[in-house]
Amino acid sequence: MASSSPLADSPSDSEEPAFRAGTESVSLTFPQRLMEVLDEPRYEHIVSWIDDGKAFCIHQPSKFEQKILPRHFNKASKFSSFSRKLNRWGFVRHNVAGASGGSSAHSHPLFCRDGHKRLLQMSPKSAAGASASSKKAAPRSSNGDNTSAETTNPSSAASNDIMAPGRGGE
């Protein structure tokens, strides 16, 4: 009978496996893992920073799911799970002007290129807070339907657009 380590059986809130830094084991948060991926030049054709460094763009979601998720985000092996995780950590999805093939861009006020120290200030939304906010009723418009001002205001949708990074014809 194989013995198991007590650490292997204990659940981890971070959901991220640990890595070795010197002799101590360090667990990376979701944003830290994402930053590591974005720092890898070999992935630039799949995922990269937008030119201003305030958002990142996933150019090829299927390759992202096949090559990056299993290697860097063990539990988020599907793109939809990764998208939910982005939302849980407070990232905002943006439309990518001029992009095709399901490209998506994401931003967070504390997540930017070369902003490694700011990652420590990020935290996921609590499960209790997320369920409480999802139970709120959508504001009713004057005609009585459940539409929010954001979905009915065309100017708010336009402000969520991001220009695709200068990729030179890729």
Side-chain angles (χ1 to χ4, degrees):
M1 181 162 137
S3 66
S4 62
S5 163
L7 294 176
D9 293 332
S10 64
S12 170
D13 188 59
S14 70
E15 299 179 20
E16 312 304 341
F19 80 101
R20 293 261 174 217
T23 57
E24 68 183 62
S25 181
V26 179
S27 183
L28 295 178
T29 64
F30 175 77
Q32 289 170 322
R33 288 200 176 276
L34 182 55
M35 184 70 78
E36 277 190 344
V37 169
L38 288 162
D39 286 345
E40 280 284 339
R42 66 183 167 157
Y43 295 136
E44 284 181 349
H45 66 287
I46 299 172
V47 59
S48 67
W49 289 105
I50 300 293
D51 289 338
D52 67 3
K54 294 180 181 178
F56 67 94
C57 182
I58 300 172
H59 311 288
Q60 299 178 27
S62 61
K63 284 191 178 181
F64 187 86
E65 182 176 60
Q66 295 166 359
K67 296 181 185 248
I68 296 174
L69 290 182
R71 176 172 281 187
H72 297 278
F73 304 96
N74 294 348
K75 296 201 176 187
S77 59
K78 292 187 176 182
F79 191 76
S80 58
S81 298
F82 178 79
S83 294
R84 283 191 298 273
K85 192 104 168 185
L86 285 170
N87 185 47
R88 181 170 180 242
W89 278 85
F91 284 84
V92 176
R93 182 174 181 182
H94 303 274
N95 301 321
V96 181
S100 62
S103 295
S104 60
H106 305 272
S107 67
H108 186 287
L110 297 172
F111 192 85
C112 59
R113 182 178 26 226
D114 302 323
H116 293 79
K117 290 182 181 179
R118 295 174 68 182
L119 299 179
L120 299 174
Q121 299 172 26
M122 295 178 70
S123 62
K125 297 175 188 174
S126 68
S131 63
S133 65
S134 65
K135 292 179 183 178
K136 287 183 182 176
R140 293 194 177 269
S141 66
S142 59
N143 65 4
D145 65 356
N146 285 344
T147 56
S148 69
E150 185 176 344
T151 58
T152 58
N153 182 351
S155 66
S156 67
S159 66
N160 212 20
D161 287 351
I162 280 186
M163 294 300 295
R167 301 199 37 84
E170 281 187 59

